[in-house]
């Protein structure tokens, strides 16, 4: 038995569905399960942000699809209550994981980061929760630069400014009043980078952190837009 969350599901052959799961100690698992009907239906728990206990077989039910077969699934706790921006944030996390995390990638540690992020969002929305999860995901994918040392090998300093250079890291630059980050053309505060590393971002550092994360995620996500970002945009109107 493993703890897990449903990231996404889609219909498949009559009363079965294919589910993308995030499983504790494993990472992403794609599996197939029967939904059932009446009192035996599991539709109510095959929902995002519902903690689950899952057991699945290693044998694929359908050849060449690489799907595991769920043999047992039940609720582990009440669904984590998310609303408003916190709900959209949860959808954003799920979309990132489905888009970027492959079944072959053993991401044992992401389950706890995901669970903690959902619990934090349930208490109240703050974009810093998204930045910390993005950082955890990028670290897992090997796509996050060092927050200990700059590109010259020196420790990052709070009173310095940096420019991010792909494949090199953060290059120190002359102090400037400019704080906007836009696709590598702006400056990043050393204080913000250190706060990101310690997960202690302040309100005036959130925009810079968001710009950095979007810049790092863009080449991984490609040109296809994120549907969850569109939800955020509609809600903001």
């Amino acid at each position: 038995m493993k703890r897990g969350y449903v990231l996404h599901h889609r219909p498949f052959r009559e009363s079965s569905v294919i589910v993308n799961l995030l499983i504790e100690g494993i990472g992403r698992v794609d599996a197939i399960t029967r939904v059932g009907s009446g009192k035996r239906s599991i539709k109510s728990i095959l929902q995002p942000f519902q903690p689950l206990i899952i057991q699945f077989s290693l044998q694929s039910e359908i050849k060449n699809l690489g799907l595991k077969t769920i043999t047992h699934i039940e609720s582990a706790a009440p669904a984590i209550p998310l609303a408003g921006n916190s709900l959209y944030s949860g959808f954003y996390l799920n979309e990132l994981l489905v888009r970027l995390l492959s079944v072959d990638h053993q991401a044992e540690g992401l389950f706890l980061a995901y669970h903690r992020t959902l619990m934090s969002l349930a208490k109240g929305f703050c974009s810093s929760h998204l930045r910390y999860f993005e950082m955890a995901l990028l670290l897992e994918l090997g796509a996050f630069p060092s927050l200990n040392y700059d590109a010259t090998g020196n420790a990052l300093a709070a009173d310095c400014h940096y420019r991010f250079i792909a494949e090199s890291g953060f290059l120190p630059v002359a102090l400037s009043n400019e704080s906007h980050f836009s696709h590598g053309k702006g400056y990043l505060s050393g204080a913000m980078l250190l706060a990101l590393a310690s997960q202690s971002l302040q309100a005036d550092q959130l925009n810079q952190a968001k710009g950095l994360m979007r810049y790092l995620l863009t080449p991984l996500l490609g040109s296809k837009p994120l549907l969850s970002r569109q939800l955020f945009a509609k809600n903001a109107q």
Side-chain angles (χ1 to χ4, degrees), residues 135 138 143-157 160-173 181 184 186-190 192-194 196-197 208-209 211-213 215-216:
M135 180 170 62
L138 286 164
F144 196 79
S146 170
L147 289 178
N148 295 318
Y149 302 98
D150 64 27
T152 66
N154 293 316
L156 292 178
C160 289
H161 281 67
Y162 298 88
R163 188 191 302 276
F164 177 70
I165 307 297
E167 301 182 1
S168 297
F170 299 105
L171 184 69
V173 295
F181 180 87
Y187 295 132
L188 291 165
S189 159
M192 184 280 291
L193 294 175
L194 293 174
L196 179 62
Q208 272 196 17
L212 172 61
M213 293 303 181
Y215 180 72
L216 294 173

Side-chain angles (χ1 to χ4, degrees), residues 8-176:
H8 179 70
H9 65 78
R10 62 187 186 276
F12 183 80
R13 289 189 185 177
E14 299 179 358
S15 61
S16 296
V17 295
I18 292 175
V19 288
N20 308 126
L21 303 161
L22 185 66
I23 302 294
E24 183 180 25
I26 298 177
R28 176 175 166 178
V29 171
D30 289 354
I32 187 168
T33 184
R34 292 191 177 279
V35 176
S37 60
K39 293 182 178 180
R40 294 187 175 183
S41 174
I42 61 171
K43 286 183 180 179
S44 63
I45 64 171
L46 285 181
Q47 302 299 326
F49 325 125
Q50 168 67 63
L52 298 169
I53 296 176
I54 304 168
Q55 185 174 34
F56 49 84
S57 70
L58 298 179
Q59 183 178 3
S60 175
E61 179 175 309
I62 301 175
K63 293 181 179 179
N64 302 322
L65 289 185
L67 297 172
K68 293 177 174 58
T69 302
I70 293 177
T71 57
H72 178 83
I73 185 169
E74 64 179 85
S75 171
I80 297 176
L82 300 179
N85 283 337
S86 290
L87 178 61
Y88 303 139
S89 297
F91 289 141
Y92 172 68
L93 301 185
N94 286 6
E95 194 171 9
L96 281 183
L97 287 168
V98 171
R99 290 274 296 270
L100 299 182
L101 193 62
S102 69
V103 174
D104 297 329
H105 191 108
Q106 298 299 308
E108 297 92 342
L110 274 181
F111 177 88
L112 185 56
Y114 176 83
H115 176 73
R116 285 176 173 171
T117 303
L118 293 184
M119 296 300 288
S120 296
L121 288 170
K123 296 177 182 178
F125 173 76
C126 180
S127 64
S128 62
H129 304 318
L130 303 184
R131 306 293 82 85
Y132 305 145
F133 182 80
E134 289 166 339
M135 180 170 62
L137 178 58
L138 286 164
L139 283 168
E140 184 64 44
L141 297 173
F144 196 79
S146 170
L147 289 178
N148 295 318
Y149 302 98
D150 64 27
T152 66
N154 293 316
L156 292 178
D159 59 353
C160 289
H161 281 67
Y162 298 88
R163 188 191 302 276
F164 177 70
I165 307 297
E167 301 182 1
S168 297
F170 299 105
L171 184 69
V173 295
L175 290 176
S176 169

